[in-house]
Amino acid sequence: MQVTGTVLTTRRVDAYHALTVVAPGIAERYRPGHFVSVAVGGGQTSMVTRRALSIHDVKSDYGGTVELVFTARGPGTAWLAERRARDTLDLVGPLGRPFPLPRDPVHCVLVGAEYGSALLFPLADALLARGCRVDFVLGGTGAERVFGAMRARRIAETTTLTTEDGSLGLRGKVTDALPSVIADTRADAVYACAPMETLRAVTAVSMEFDIPVQVAVEESMACGIGVCMTCVLPVIGDDGVTRMVRACAEGPVFRGERVRFEDVGTIPFDALGAPGGGARHVS
Amino acid sequence: MSVDMRTFLAHVELANPITTAAGCAASGRELAQFFDLHRLGALTTRSITMAPRAGRPTPRMAETPSGMLNAVGLQGPGIDAFLERELPWLAQRGIKTIVSIGGGTVAEYSELARRLADAPGVTALEVNLSCPNIEDRGRVFAREGSAAAEVIASVRSIMRYDVPVVAKLAPDVADIVSVARACVDAGADALSMINNPLGMAIDTEALRPSLAAVTGGLSGPAILPLAVRCVWQVHAALPGVPLIGIGGVMSGRDAFQLVLAGACVVGVGTALFHDPYACLRIERELEDLLRARGFQRLADAVGLAHRPPGSAPRHLLVDSEESTP
């Protein structure tokens, strides 16, 4: 659904921006893993595509608020970063398929890199509410790019932090620390949100331990609702056939071992409808 | 007072002039989560191909000034899946459906038309002539009147007479009027324009093309003037041919421009990416604009901008005659 949200607060969280927006319809329908799309630039904007943002927090205050976390990377997110309290935002959501939750109280490791960590916190709350044990592994290139370390420490059994420059926690990547965390916590499942390369490595580690891994992918989207077909990636279906599926409508959450990470950005030759099987080059 | 928004696409009556642009609404289900599809004049599907197609690699999209580039490459499940799952879904709900078809050879278009000829729920057939022609070294049908006409003649001969065949034209041509005329002579009942012109963007961080396919179709407000020009030129040359105006329509005012230039149906594409409710908003805004200018019927505004300078608007003349005692 589409709502006009009102910005309640804006703040910086480490290297990132966070906007708390009053968005009643979206907040009440939200499940962990969902995202929203936001129109940027105002009424007369020349920016025609929406920006997909992950939801860091949902509260029932003011009839329902969502907290959106993003990094200012281009003119659209820079515009968003300039929003102030009482500004209005055009939001569509909640979008996408949420994280599947375990039926039994199991041990879960939540892995986040950069601001991908943001959407793991509502998931952690949902897992804790089901009696699961939650352990965090959070990382970034430097200390200021590790999102949510304080909150993770508060709610999780253990929190392991990694930075590539060694300015916080262990030096290295989240995947360097992951095997020992999985082993120490006797984890039953892994949930992850991070750049594609990290998700690939997280999936590889989880598969070594033979435990299920759910990943939330980040792909650039124009619409977020499944009509523009720009956010596709190769995913293996239940029938063993690889299809180019939409990250917005069929995802953003996938079973890690189903995503062909090494083929992201290509059309694998064996994908359904891949060129060569009689298909042609068109634009 | 409400404005009569009904319009005719050839002999088929639509409740209002707003349709989705091919490739911007998939096959309707996604938009149906937001609003009742019956509120559209018609839904235009993505271009259906014979075989399933995986499309082009990502990145497939780049935002550009007042527009975006896309290189999706007609991703879709193919005609069999369309006939099995997508068309029946639309037909059962009684949604007016313009089915867009895309192919690489005349035979492929003919076969698609043959498969669709007996399928229930096809309101009109839009022939996407901008797919490269594999019979002729990758040239695009829409760039040559004779090639386009060959496809249209073949599809028209196969399709049921009560289903209008619409030729979708590309603006990347020297003379769009001659291509339009060739299509009409070959039996096209209506024309739609414009398909995306080709464009390109370069990522200044990565220092390489922004799209994996290098070039892509430019859409959005940036191409509205191009669409208005094409609709204007073709309506001036072929005033009796129904036109679907498509290209960068973001508001009722944009749609009104295309109507005044000669379009009796208006396609909404990129605006749907920005706002899933764009079609409804644009329809409402167009109706408001017509009402504010004293129009009682949309039909009175179609092509109105072509009247000679100095002459009074037709609908206002009618009003004054009626008010004469």
Side-chain angles (χ1 to χ4, degrees):
Chain A
M1 67 180 299
Q2 187 177 35
V3 303
T4 301
T6 306
V7 177
L8 197 62
T9 58
T10 66
R11 61 193 178 106
R12 293 296 298 262
V13 184
D14 309 312
Y16 309 107
H17 297 270
L19 288 176
T20 305
V21 186
V22 181
I26 292 175
E28 72 201 22
R29 287 176 176 79
Y30 168 83
R31 303 249 298 281
H34 276 146
F35 66 96
V36 295
S37 74
V38 187
V40 295
Q44 296 302 312
T45 184
S46 70
M47 289 181 271
V48 294
T49 62
R50 301 177 76 90
R51 302 299 187 268
L53 304 182
S54 55
I55 297 175
H56 171 50
D57 219 346
V58 174
K59 288 203 176 88
S60 54
D61 312 1
Y62 303 96
T65 63
V66 291
E67 187 169 20
L68 310 172
V69 171
F70 59 96
T71 178
R73 253 193 306 221
T77 40
W79 179 88
L80 265 182
E82 286 164 14
R83 294 309 93 198
R84 294 292 168 260
R86 289 188 292 282
D87 286 350
T88 56
L89 281 181
D90 168 6
L91 306 176
V92 173
L95 297 168
R97 287 223 306 226
F99 284 107
L101 299 176
R103 228 170 282 131
D104 306 310
V106 297
H107 292 189
C108 302
V109 175
L110 275 49
V111 186
E114 308 277 314
Y115 67 108
S117 315
L119 86 176
L120 296 176
F121 290 92
L123 171 68
D125 292 340
L127 291 170
L128 289 167
R130 292 190 172 216
C132 294
R133 173 185 158 137
V134 169
D135 295 89
F136 271 103
V137 182
L138 303 178
T141 46
E144 78 294 343
R145 299 191 72 81
V146 179
F147 182 89
M150 292 283 278
R151 186 166 169 197
R153 284 206 176 102
R154 218 162 46 234
I155 62 174
E157 203 78 23
T158 69
T159 298
T160 309
L161 305 176
T162 68
T163 50
E164 280 163 47
D165 62 4
S167 54
L168 180 71
L170 307 170
R171 182 187 294 272
K173 299 184 173 185
V174 284
T175 41
D176 298 328
L178 185 59
S180 62
V181 175
I182 292 176
D184 295 349
T185 62
R186 301 209 182 107
D188 301 300
V190 172
Y191 291 90
C193 182
M196 216 54 99
E197 263 312 296
T198 309
L199 291 182
R200 175 189 184 175
V202 168
T203 300
V205 171
S206 308
M207 286 172 76
E208 263 171 48
F209 283 89
D210 200 22
I211 55 175
V213 53
Q214 298 284 346
V215 299
V217 301
E218 293 177 19
E219 267 290 345
S220 79
M221 303 171 182
C223 74
I225 61 170
V227 292
C228 77
M229 305 301 289
T230 60
C231 61
V232 297
L233 69 169
V235 174
I236 304 165
D238 290 333
D239 53 2
V241 176
T242 297
R243 293 181 180 79
M244 300 305 294
V245 307
R246 299 163 296 183
C248 66
E250 277 94 6
V253 177
F254 295 101
R255 280 171 59 182
E257 71 272 20
R258 293 290 181 85
V259 181
R260 292 175 61 170
F261 289 107
E262 65 281 11
D263 295 321
V264 168
T266 72
I267 305 292
F269 73 93
D270 56 343
L272 182 72
R280 280 158 316 283
H281 175 103
V282 296
S283 54
Chain B
M1 190 195 69
S2 67
V3 181
D4 182 355
M5 295 295 278
R6 285 176 300 169
T7 192
F8 281 90
L9 181 62
H11 58 274
V12 174
E13 185 182 299
L14 307 179
N16 71 64
I18 304 297
T19 182
T20 57
C24 298
S27 295
R29 281 183 219 231
E30 291 80 3
L31 286 183
Q33 301 170 58
F34 292 93
F35 65 89
D36 180 0
L37 297 179
H38 289 100
R39 295 175 67 184
L40 295 169
L43 179 112
T44 305
T45 67
R46 62 168 158 237
S47 291
I48 310 300
T49 53
M50 274 309 288
R53 289 183 59 94
R56 305 306 309 268
T58 54
R60 290 177 168 185
M61 185 269 292
E63 198 172 68
T64 57
S66 290
M68 62 174 271
L69 291 163
N70 78 85
V72 172
L74 301 187
Q75 183 178 344
I79 184 78
D80 290 335
F82 177 74
L83 288 173
E84 202 178 305
R85 290 196 294 272
E86 299 182 349
L87 188 59
W89 187 89
L90 290 158
Q92 277 159 19
R93 283 158 185 78
I95 294 156
K96 290 242 163 71
T97 305
I98 302 172
V99 178
S100 172
I101 57 170
T105 62
V106 177
E108 208 172 336
Y109 283 102
S110 313
E111 185 55 29
L112 284 162
R114 195 166 292 122
R115 301 288 303 275
L116 287 160
D118 299 323
V122 182
T123 303
L125 194 68
E126 183 178 84
V127 184
N128 177 359
L129 293 168
S130 296
C131 316
N133 171 3
I134 53 173
E135 286 170 346
D136 197 8
R137 287 172 297 159
R139 275 193 285 183
V140 175
F141 291 104
R143 297 221 180 117
E144 267 172 56
S146 56
E150 204 184 331
V151 174
I152 295 299
S154 153
V155 168
R156 181 63 281 177
S157 69
I158 291 159
M159 214 53 208
R160 288 203 323 257
Y161 72 93
D162 58 332
V163 176
V165 169
V166 186
K168 184 156 184 184
L169 308 181
D172 293 336
V173 292
D175 180 8
I176 193 161
V177 171
S178 70
V179 181
R181 190 171 276 128
C183 289
V184 171
D185 290 346
D189 303 284
L191 303 169
S192 72
M193 67 198 80
I194 53 175
N195 210 320
N196 294 165
L198 272 187
M200 181 175 171
I202 294 177
D203 183 333
T204 51
E205 294 298 320
L207 314 181
R208 44 185 302 134
S210 300
L211 300 177
V214 182
T215 60
L218 179 63
S219 67
I223 68 164
L224 176 69
L226 200 50
V228 173
R229 183 267 291 177
C230 290
V231 168
W232 174 278
Q233 288 180 331
V234 172
H235 182 76
L238 305 162
V241 179
L243 303 181
I244 307 179
I246 305 169
V249 174
M250 301 297 275
S251 68
R253 194 174 295 273
D254 300 342
F256 195 28
Q257 279 200 56
L258 286 167
V259 168
L260 290 169
C264 58
V265 176
V266 173
V268 175
T270 303
L272 288 168
F273 303 163
H274 188 77
D275 173 8
Y277 297 90
C279 288
L280 304 187
R281 176 176 54 78
I282 289 165
E283 207 263 327
R284 195 176 60 238
E285 288 173 358
L286 176 61
E287 190 177 341
D288 289 345
L289 287 168
L290 288 164
R291 186 186 301 111
R293 282 154 187 74
F295 288 92
Q296 291 170 1
R297 309 188 313 156
L298 166 85
D300 294 332
V302 173
L304 191 67
H306 287 266
R307 73 185 188 281
S311 61
R314 272 179 292 180
H315 69 289
L316 295 182
L317 276 176
V318 171
D319 274 355
S320 58
E321 278 163 14
E322 278 170 357
S323 60
T324 312

